[in-house]
Amino acid sequence: MNRFLASGLLAASLAVAAPVAAQDTIRFAVTDIDGLEALQREMGPFKEAFEAASGLKVEFFPVSGRTVAVEAMAADQVDFVLTGPAEYVVFNARLDAQPVVTFSRPDYYSTVVVLDDSPVKAPADLKGAKISFGEIGSTSQHLGPVDLLAKAGLTYAVDYEPVFLKRNVAMEALISGEIAAIGLNRTHIEQLTEKFPDQKLRVVVKGEQLPDDILLASPKVSPEVIETVRKTFAEQGEALLAAVTSTEENAKYIGGSFNATVTDADYDVVRKMYENIGIKEFTEFVGQ
């Protein structure tokens, strides 16, 4: 083969290959999806849509919860993590992780509920009672309900006794009179109503929309890559949302949207929730 032709073909092949070789890879984790198989199943459609829209390659990094995720980021094993509001505050305080884009959840708010025939009519009636919360440290099942009670004048672990029971166990305890109320979110009310069709729950106090789930970035990720991610969500949000919500795990985001102009200050309300339970330093997860 003519050496000039050969060199021309080599140059052409390098030109074609260059974008692929230069393509950035971002390592991506989700704190509430356990294991690689589940992560691929639930976030696979999003991965494909995001890669096509952004030009970035996504490499899944499976974690078994928030603690593993923050340790992985500290060890520079993961670049981006999708997590909840309470978890973001810890990532930020511990690692200076930065907010990139929020995943909004319609009707995402906390409540405190009782049985419909309960004598409790207002939060003040729960003084001295035993109240069950969901997962310790959860924004909507723990910090949010506690915040509602605090705003009603009830001090955490002083004016009532907090306990942490699995949702169905808590419902059974409520029916038997072992506890007086449950703190949970709207979705959980629906689940309990379906599970216990003969029992009717009544909302004693309902909160406002909670801060959104958030995609956060390690401080080691370049500003250019973060800007590419933000721009992709801002410009291709409709397609990305369709991909995200095509799997059952992500049904909570149906009807939602992305916010690529999120700031750290948007989560100060969560820091206040932590303070309600006596936490003023945010470098450790509650119950860790």
Side-chain angles (χ1 to χ4, degrees), residues 1-12:
M1 180 183 290
N2 183 290
R3 67 186 180 88
F4 295 107
L5 177 59
S7 63
L9 290 173
L10 176 61

Side-chain angles (χ1 to χ4, degrees), residues 134-179:
E135 181 184 358
I136 188 167
S138 163
T139 308
S140 66
Q141 302 175 63
H142 182 203
L143 302 183
V146 166
D147 190 56
L148 296 178
L149 295 171
K151 289 174 179 175
L154 298 180
T155 301
Y156 183 73
V158 174
D159 291 323
Y160 59 91
E161 180 184 349
V163 296
F164 297 90
L165 303 174
K166 296 290 186 181
R167 201 169 309 131
N168 290 345
V169 175
M171 186 65 178
E172 291 168 353
L174 188 66
I175 294 169
S176 67
E178 297 173 62
I179 61 174

Side-chain angles (χ1 to χ4, degrees), residues 126-277:
L126 290 169
K127 189 167 185 177
K130 186 180 292 186
I131 302 173
S132 179
F133 299 94
E135 181 184 358
I136 188 167
S138 163
T139 308
S140 66
Q141 302 175 63
H142 182 203
L143 302 183
V146 166
D147 190 56
L148 296 178
L149 295 171
K151 289 174 179 175
L154 298 180
T155 301
Y156 183 73
V158 174
D159 291 323
Y160 59 91
E161 180 184 349
V163 296
F164 297 90
L165 303 174
K166 296 290 186 181
R167 201 169 309 131
N168 290 345
V169 175
M171 186 65 178
E172 291 168 353
L174 188 66
I175 294 169
S176 67
E178 297 173 62
I179 61 174
I182 307 175
L184 33 66
N185 68 37
R186 177 194 62 82
T187 302
H188 299 146
I189 295 176
E190 295 174 356
Q191 292 171 351
L192 286 177
T193 299
E194 182 178 342
K195 182 72 175 180
F196 298 87
D198 296 332
Q199 301 292 334
K200 185 177 180 182
L201 293 171
R202 175 165 47 84
V203 175
V204 175
V205 58
K206 170 189 170 184
E208 298 179 353
Q209 181 77 7
L210 291 166
D212 295 326
D213 288 351
I214 187 165
L215 182 67
L216 55 88
S218 164
K220 296 180 181 179
V221 177
S222 73
E224 293 77 16
V225 170
I226 291 176
E227 182 55 31
T228 296
V229 173
R230 284 200 179 107
K231 184 176 180 181
T232 301
F233 276 96
E235 296 180 353
Q236 303 294 329
E238 187 173 338
L240 293 180
L241 184 63
V244 168
T245 57
S246 67
T247 60
E248 183 178 356
E249 175 71 19
N250 298 317
K252 59 190 175 184
Y253 299 123
I254 292 175
S257 61
F258 303 113
N259 174 19
T261 61
V262 59
T263 68
D264 177 72
D266 295 335
Y267 290 80
D268 283 345
V269 62
V270 181
R271 295 181 175 96
K272 176 60 180 176
M273 291 179 182
Y274 272 114
E275 291 174 2
N276 287 333
I277 61 172

Side-chain angles (χ1 to χ4, degrees), residues 7-29:
S7 63
L9 290 173
L10 176 61
S13 67
L14 288 175
V16 172
V20 176
Q23 184 180 49
D24 290 291
T25 297
I26 60 173
R27 298 164 297 175
F28 179 89

Side-chain angles (χ1 to χ4, degrees), residues 49-125:
F50 181 82
E51 287 180 338
S54 68
L56 297 170
K57 179 176 174 56
V58 176
E59 179 182 298
F60 284 144
F61 187 92
V63 295
S64 56
R66 58 194 184 183
T67 301
V68 174
V70 77
E71 290 173 351
M73 183 171 283
D76 195 25
Q77 295 174 318
V78 65
D79 303 307
F80 290 85
V81 175
L82 177 60
T83 193
E87 290 79 7
Y88 163 71
V89 168
V90 175
F91 271 89
N92 176 260
R94 186 165 166 179
L95 304 175
D96 195 31
Q98 296 301 308
V100 179
V101 60
T102 66
F103 285 50
S104 72
R105 297 170 56 174
D107 296 324
Y108 181 46
Y109 56 82
S110 294
T111 67
V112 176
V113 302
V114 297
L115 291 179
D116 191 47
D117 60 1
S118 169
V120 173
K121 302 301 180 185
D125 298 332

